[in-house]
Amino acid sequence: MKTRVLSGLIMVPLVLILYFRGIPLVLAAFIVSAISVYELLKGLSKIGIMGNIFISWGSLIALYACHFIVPGRHDYLTFWLVLSVIASFLGIFNIEKHRIEDALATIFSIVYIEFFIFHIVLIDEGSYGVLVWMVGITAIFTDIFAYFTGYYFGKHKLCPKLSPKKTIEGAMGGILGAVLFSIVFGLIVKIEIFPHMIVLGILGSIMGQLGDLTASSFKRKMGIKDYGNIIPGHGGILDRFDSIIFTAPTVYYYIQLILQR
Amino acid sequence: MKTRVLSGLIMVPLVLILYFRGIPLVLAAFIVSAISVYELLKGLSKIGIMGNIFISWGSLIALYACHFIVPGRHDYLTFWLVLSVIASFLGIFNIEKHRIEDALATIFSIVYIEFFIFHIVLIDEGSYGVLVWMVGITAIFTDIFAYFTGYYFGKHKLCPKLSPKKTIEGAMGGILGAVLFSIVFGLIVKIEIFPHMIVLGILGSIMGQLGDLTASSFKRKMGIKDYGNIIPGHGGILDRFDSIIFTAPTVYYYIQLILQR
């Protein structure tokens, strides 16, 4: 349990970054993405799938360059995606050396990590930019509450094949924790959209847990326990951010489709 | 050569669809996508990669539903993409039965086929909608001219490992043919953006040939000659549309980034 709590504390720098937002947040998203694609492709290489890290990193640089060249516009996103996918295909033109899976792994790293995490930047740019906090709040408090609720009350397994320790009680506790702290955040910062904080807390928590389970299924398939060990004893960057990868688009599209209608 | 010419003639219904545009074009794009994802996943299954056709088709239906629900708006595209990718991941939650590659194949079919081809619909909706013709013109005349130029003048191989019959002379002839017919089209329809037709002809032809080579690399990796035999003697739908998959986004982003600035 000690490592779990400590590993939660490692999220503290995140709070500072969320406080300042803007450039520090964009930089953090960039660095987390750059390390995460490396960890993901390294994990895939363990089962013989060799994505191209240079195409993936090139694509990441192009994405953040677009952000700085045309700030506030989002219509470059699909263009960037088309070019990134085509670039990934070119990676297997060396036909004797590469397989289709290798190109698909590059696309995987670009879409699942770079594109998903970039939604943090998109939220920050928008008129509800302060809600970027909700990406972290739902992910972190789901994690902490799920752990403790599961530890003390956990009886019924959630999906033993994917993640044997998770329980339905833990999942419920996670949602409760996320909603609780979403409400606290709503009271402090954005009182006028208060009822939305409850919905967003529930959605964010569910998607965060789905992100966690998805990452577990990948790791199980790769035959690894953690993606890395960049934080000694606490796994890799991607292990810490697997929930955030899913909560970022959740918060963004909630703003786009519900709040900004 | 006879089959090649005949196979070109099969494109004739396409001309009618391009003439009417609107609903017939959207329907055609939908049907071509639905058959193509089936052919692609069937091809991948030959090398043991089992994408989920139902998730892929569900994603396709959702995409075209969005088009009809919020016509003229394109901001649903990234939302659709995020949900489609997450749905593809869920396909491997049955962890004992599926591999990571299987989820990646589903994403591959959604992005490479459904998302890329959908750019035809996006072009048609926009203010330069008539340029949707250019998607077909650059693909078809590149194909025909590359074939005949290569047949009569071809000496230097383009990339023998990917596609042994293609020559540099053929590729050049293809570009020439595309430019020629882009100019003809420009003269008939859109005289005011005439110089752009030359650039678009060149770009479309290069990207069309890249699309063709990309499809060749996939088929070579799958150990198949054609994706299907829906058109007897002329391969599958995907074999006919491999260039168009790449020319569609090319024309769309040329309009977005150059013409509509």
Side-chain angles (χ1 to χ4, degrees):
Chain A
M1 192 191 296
K2 197 180 153 203
T3 51
R4 190 79 181 195
V5 174
L6 271 174
S7 126
L9 287 179
I10 297 202
M11 289 303 204
V12 168
L14 197 74
V15 173
L16 282 175
I17 288 163
L18 283 174
Y19 179 75
F20 289 108
R21 291 174 46 206
I23 303 282
L25 184 66
V26 175
L27 268 180
F30 179 84
I31 293 167
V32 165
S33 300
I35 299 172
S36 295
V37 292
Y38 173 78
E39 289 178 348
L40 183 73
L41 292 183
K42 200 178 144 215
L44 285 167
S45 76
K46 301 234 161 101
I47 49 169
I49 304 176
M50 312 304 279
N52 188 318
I53 187 73
F54 299 106
I55 294 173
S56 190
W57 276 338
S59 171
L60 182 69
I61 292 167
L63 178 60
Y64 284 77
C66 284
H67 168 71
F68 284 109
I69 294 166
V70 280
R73 279 181 62 179
H74 298 165
D75 51 356
Y76 59 80
L77 268 176
T78 57
F79 181 54
W80 164 78
L81 199 79
V82 165
L83 286 186
S84 298
V85 169
I86 292 177
S88 303
F89 290 154
L90 297 185
I92 64 158
F93 268 31
N94 187 343
I95 194 107
E96 282 157 355
K97 215 176 145 193
H98 294 294
R99 300 182 305 154
I100 291 182
E101 294 91 316
D102 300 344
L104 301 191
T106 313
I107 295 172
F108 178 36
S109 72
I110 291 170
V111 173
Y112 168 60
I113 292 178
E114 299 175 9
F115 175 58
F116 275 43
I117 289 182
F118 191 70
H119 286 83
I120 291 175
V121 177
L122 297 178
I123 298 167
D124 186 51
E125 274 189 320
S127 48
Y128 286 91
V130 74
L131 290 185
V132 78
W133 277 85
M134 287 296 287
V135 175
I137 287 171
T138 53
I140 293 166
F141 290 105
T142 294
D143 203 40
I144 295 172
F145 274 69
Y147 180 75
F148 285 106
T149 323
Y151 190 84
Y152 290 110
F153 307 103
K155 277 205 169 66
H156 306 87
K157 296 285 177 202
L158 184 64
C159 45
K161 282 175 188 169
L162 273 185
S163 200
K165 284 187 181 169
K166 291 200 173 66
T167 60
I168 295 174
E169 291 78 8
M172 292 299 156
I175 295 176
L176 193 75
V179 169
L180 213 68
F181 279 82
S182 298
I183 291 174
V184 171
F185 176 74
L187 288 173
I188 299 172
V189 181
K190 271 269 173 186
I191 198 76
E192 73 268 30
I193 55 159
F194 186 72
H196 287 289
M197 303 315 283
I198 299 168
V199 187
L200 199 46
I202 296 172
L203 279 178
S205 182
I206 293 173
M207 293 306 288
Q209 298 193 43
L210 199 62
D212 191 324
L213 286 175
T214 304
S216 294
S217 79
F218 295 153
K219 284 186 273 193
R220 202 152 277 265
K221 282 299 178 184
M222 294 171 190
I224 56 178
K225 205 189 152 288
D226 289 316
Y227 280 115
N229 53 357
I230 203 166
I231 315 166
H234 306 103
I237 287 291
L238 190 47
D239 298 292
R240 291 281 86 220
F241 285 86
D242 53 11
S243 312
I244 281 177
I245 289 174
F246 275 34
T247 57
T250 305
V251 173
Y252 177 71
Y253 294 110
Y254 191 85
I255 296 170
Q256 289 288 305
L257 300 172
I258 312 289
L259 296 180
Q260 288 195 337
R261 277 184 70 91
Chain B
M1 192 189 293
K2 196 179 155 203
T3 50
R4 188 80 181 194
V5 174
L6 272 175
S7 129
L9 288 180
I10 296 200
M11 289 303 204
V12 168
L14 197 73
V15 173
L16 282 175
I17 289 162
L18 283 174
Y19 178 75
F20 289 108
R21 291 174 47 205
I23 302 283
L25 184 67
V26 175
L27 268 180
F30 179 84
I31 293 167
V32 165
S33 300
I35 300 172
S36 295
V37 292
Y38 173 78
E39 289 179 346
L40 182 73
L41 292 184
K42 202 179 143 213
L44 285 167
S45 75
K46 301 233 162 103
I47 49 169
I49 304 176
M50 312 303 279
N52 188 318
I53 187 73
F54 298 106
I55 294 173
S56 190
W57 276 338
S59 172
L60 182 68
I61 291 167
L63 178 60
Y64 284 76
C66 285
H67 168 69
F68 284 110
I69 294 165
V70 281
R73 279 181 63 178
H74 297 165
D75 50 358
Y76 59 80
L77 268 177
T78 57
F79 181 55
W80 165 79
L81 199 79
V82 165
L83 286 186
S84 298
V85 169
I86 292 176
S88 304
F89 291 154
L90 297 185
I92 64 160
F93 268 32
N94 188 342
I95 194 105
E96 283 157 354
K97 214 175 145 195
H98 294 294
R99 300 182 306 153
I100 291 182
E101 294 90 316
D102 300 344
L104 301 191
T106 313
I107 296 171
F108 177 35
S109 73
I110 291 169
V111 174
Y112 168 59
I113 292 179
E114 299 174 9
F115 175 58
F116 275 44
I117 289 181
F118 191 70
H119 286 82
I120 290 174
V121 177
L122 297 177
I123 298 168
D124 186 52
E125 274 188 321
S127 48
Y128 286 91
V130 73
L131 290 185
V132 78
W133 278 86
M134 287 296 287
V135 174
I137 286 172
T138 53
I140 294 166
F141 290 105
T142 294
D143 203 40
I144 296 173
F145 274 69
Y147 180 75
F148 285 105
T149 324
Y151 190 85
Y152 290 110
F153 307 104
K155 277 205 169 66
H156 306 86
K157 295 287 176 200
L158 184 64
C159 45
K161 280 175 189 168
L162 273 186
S163 199
K165 284 187 181 168
K166 291 201 173 65
T167 60
I168 295 173
E169 291 79 7
M172 293 299 157
I175 296 176
L176 194 75
V179 170
L180 213 68
F181 278 83
S182 298
I183 291 174
V184 170
F185 176 74
L187 289 173
I188 298 172
V189 180
K190 270 270 172 185
I191 197 78
E192 73 267 32
I193 55 158
F194 186 72
H196 287 290
M197 302 315 283
I198 298 168
V199 187
L200 198 47
I202 296 171
L203 278 178
S205 182
I206 292 173
M207 292 306 288
Q209 297 193 42
L210 199 63
D212 191 325
L213 285 174
T214 303
S216 295
S217 79
F218 295 153
K219 284 186 274 191
R220 201 154 280 266
K221 282 299 177 185
M222 295 171 190
I224 55 176
K225 205 188 151 286
D226 290 316
Y227 279 115
N229 53 359
I230 203 166
I231 315 166
H234 305 102
I237 287 290
L238 191 46
D239 299 292
R240 291 281 85 221
F241 285 86
D242 53 10
S243 313
I244 281 177
I245 289 173
F246 275 35
T247 57
T250 305
V251 173
Y252 177 72
Y253 294 110
Y254 191 85
I255 295 171
Q256 289 288 305
L257 300 172
I258 311 290
L259 296 180
Q260 289 195 336
R261 277 184 69 92

